[in-house]
Amino acid sequence: MACNFGWDWGPTLVTSGIWRPIGLESWSVARLAEVRPLAEVTEAGDGRVTVHVRAERAADRPLTVEVTAGGLAHALGALPEGETGTAVTLDVPRPELWWPRGRGPQPLYELTVRLADPSSGATLDTWRRRIGFRSIRLDTADGAFTLVVNNEPIFVKGFNWIPDDCFPHRVTRERLAERFDQACLAGANLLRVWGGGLYESEEFYDLADERGLLVWQDFPFACAAYPEEGPFAAEVEAEAREHVTRLASHPSLALWCGNNENLEGYAEWGWRERLGGRSWGAGFYHGLLPSIVAELDPTRPYWPGSPYSGEPGLRPNDPDRGTIHIWDVWNTRDYTHYASYRPRFVAEFGFQGPPAYATLRRAVTDRPLTPESPGVLHHQKADDGNGKLMRGLAGHLPVPSDFDDWHYLTQLNQARAMAFGVAHLRSLAPGAWARSSGSSTTAGRSRPGPPWTATAGASPCGTPCAARSPTACSSSPAWTRRAASRRSPWSTTPPGPGPGSSR
C-alpha cells in the first residue's frame, strides 16, 4: 500500500509477502468462480436482488443455480451445457430497509447461492453472504455533494480511515470492532477508506454493515501520478474488477471514488510541467474505473476523486462545488480560519497534536524527554510539524515551559481546533442542505507520534473527546477518519501536499 512508503503520519516500512489466507481447494464438475449480488429497492418498496453468477467448469453438462434470501424468497436459474454465466433475480416483498447509523435499523438477510448437478442432485458449491436492502444515490445538482439513502439526504459525519497497522496481517476482527465502536462513540456515520491504503478485509465491511457505518471506498491511488500504459493498466483493471465484485453484497458500501488528491496534484502541484505530456492516471479516474463500476455495480455512485468539483475543467478544490480538502488550516493558518469556509462537502480536514502520554512513552525512551529530543523528532514526520504545533498555540494558549506543558497544551489546542471546525461545519447544515452536507476528519493508529488522528498507537488522542461533545459532533460531517488502520501520527512526508506539507 502507498502509505508504507512513508507519509506525514506514519513510518516508511515497505512490506512484501503473502499476508491473507491462502490454500488449495479441490473440486469436480464445476465450482462458483464469482458471485455478484446487486440489491435494490423498487419504487413500491419491494426488494430485488439480481445475483450474477459465473461458474468454472471441469465438465460440460447442464447445471442449476439455486438462490435463497433469508427464508423470504427462492429462485432457480440454469446454466445450460457449455455456459459459464447467468443471472438470477429474487423479489423480496416489503423487506425491512437498511439505514445508516442514527437513521434506523440495519437488518441483514442471509443470501445463499447453491450450484448443483441436476443429474445427481449433488451440491457442487455453495456461497453465502449477508445483504441489506436500501437505495443510494449521489445528489450533485448545482454543485452539491449529498448522499441520499432511501430517498433521505444524509448529513455525513465521518472519519478518513487509514490502515490500522503498518503490518496488516496483525489486524483482527476484534481490533477492527474496537475502532468501529470508537467511531460510533464519536458520532460518526461514515468511514472513508482512504486511497493511500488498501481494500479492507471482509470483516471490515461486515462490521460496517452491522453498525450502520456508510463506507466511501477510494480506489487505491493517492498523491502520485500513475502510468496508464503497458501491463500496469491491465493490473489496475483486473484489481478493480475483483474488488468491485467482491464488495457488491455490502449495504454499507455507499460510494466508489477514483483517487485521493491526484486530480488536485495535476492541476495545482506542478505535476503537469514535470510530467511533460506523459500519462498520470486521468484515463483511470474518468474512463476505466467509472466504466467498471457502471458495468459491475450500477447500484452505487462513482466520483472521480477527492477533492473534485464535478467537472474535469474546474479547479478541483473549489468550496462551492463537490468535495474539498482543507489543509491551509494547520499548514499556514490559525484554526479560526475554518469559520471562513462555506463548503459543500469537506472530505478531509484536521489538526495535529501529540498522542496520549502512555502511547508516546511506549515508543520513545529519550531522557530527558523534550519536544526536540531525537525520538520525538523521529516520529514527527510532518513538514515543520513541531513548528506548526507551536505557532498554532499563538493567541489561544500560553507558551509551554517544559515538556509536560508542551504535551498538554498542544493536545488541548488540537481538541479545541477540531471542536471549532466541527461546530462550524455543523452550523451550516440545519435548513441549509443546499450548502453543506458533510465533512470528514482524521482518526488514526499505526504507531505513536503527533497525529491528525482520533487514535494513535493503542490509545485515543485528544481529538475524540472534542468530537464527542454535543457542540462538536451530534450531527456534523466533520469527523471522517483518515486513519484507522495503519498510519501513525508521526510519519514520513507524503508524496504530495497532504496535511503535513504546505500547499
Side-chain angles (χ1 to χ4, degrees), residues 5 60 104 109 116 146 151 182 198 229 238 248 268 331 357 362-363 376 388 414 442 470:
F5 288 84
D60 264 350
Y109 299 88
T146 303
N151 295 319
Q182 290 168 341
L198 73 167
E229 297 81 26
E268 299 182 11
N331 280 312
Y357 186 79
R362 276 196 296 273
V376 174
K388 292 172 184 176
Q414 180 195 37
T442 308

Side-chain angles (χ1 to χ4, degrees), residues 26 57 60 72 85 124 129 138 142 161 166-167 190 192 205 230 266-267 317-318 333 351 395 408 423:
S26 63
R57 289 176 171 273
D60 264 350
L72 301 178
L124 302 175
R129 294 286 190 281
L138 181 64
D142 299 321
W161 175 273
C166 295
F167 303 103
L190 179 144
R192 174 191 174 211
Y205 302 96
Y266 184 77
N317 207 27
D318 181 355
R333 292 179 179 269
F351 202 91
Y408 170 74

Side-chain angles (χ1 to χ4, degrees), residues 32-37 51-54 111 113 127 245-246 248:
L32 291 169
E34 182 179 287
V35 178
R36 178 169 47 91
V51 182
H52 298 265
V53 173
R54 182 173 63 84
L111 184 72
V113 179
W127 178 97
T245 296
R246 176 176 75 92

Side-chain angles (χ1 to χ4, degrees), residues 140-175:
T140 59
D142 299 321
F145 186 93
T146 303
L147 286 170
V148 181
V149 179
N150 298 330
N151 295 319
E152 290 192 12
I154 304 298
F155 186 70
V156 168
K157 301 168 284 185
F159 289 101
N160 286 273
W161 175 273
I162 62 168
D164 200 50
D165 201 294
C166 295
F167 303 103
H169 73 281
R170 302 192 300 198
V171 179
T172 63
R173 181 184 176 92
E174 291 71 30
R175 198 158 117 180

Side-chain angles (χ1 to χ4, degrees), residues 79-237:
L79 274 174
E81 184 176 337
E83 295 291 326
T84 58
T86 189
V88 180
T89 299
L90 273 180
D91 289 316
V92 181
R94 308 296 293 180
E96 288 188 76
L97 298 184
W98 186 97
W99 288 92
R101 182 175 181 79
R103 290 303 187 95
Q106 293 80 42
L108 298 170
Y109 299 88
E110 184 169 284
L111 184 72
T112 302
V113 179
R114 175 177 170 265
L115 182 67
D117 183 346
S119 64
S120 65
T123 297
L124 302 175
D125 203 356
T126 304
W127 178 97
R128 290 185 179 87
R129 294 286 190 281
R130 293 181 300 173
I131 63 170
F133 293 95
R134 56 98 185 97
S135 65
I136 191 157
R137 60 185 174 86
L138 181 64
D139 179 4
T140 59
D142 299 321
F145 186 93
T146 303
L147 286 170
V148 181
V149 179
N150 298 330
N151 295 319
E152 290 192 12
I154 304 298
F155 186 70
V156 168
K157 301 168 284 185
F159 289 101
N160 286 273
W161 175 273
I162 62 168
D164 200 50
D165 201 294
C166 295
F167 303 103
H169 73 281
R170 302 192 300 198
V171 179
T172 63
R173 181 184 176 92
E174 291 71 30
R175 198 158 117 180
L176 288 172
E178 181 184 2
R179 298 288 163 260
F180 277 49
D181 290 343
Q182 290 168 341
C184 293
L185 182 63
N189 61 10
L190 179 144
L191 298 177
R192 174 191 174 211
V193 180
W194 172 80
L198 73 167
Y199 298 102
E200 287 290 341
S201 64
E202 284 299 315
E203 288 84 0
F204 179 97
Y205 302 96
D206 285 342
L207 288 165
D209 293 342
E210 294 167 6
R211 284 160 171 74
L213 288 168
L214 295 168
V215 175
W216 162 331
Q217 178 70 53
D218 278 4
F219 285 97
F221 302 94
C223 300
Y226 295 85
E228 300 170 35
E229 297 81 26
F232 185 72
E235 290 182 7
V236 167
E237 179 174 1

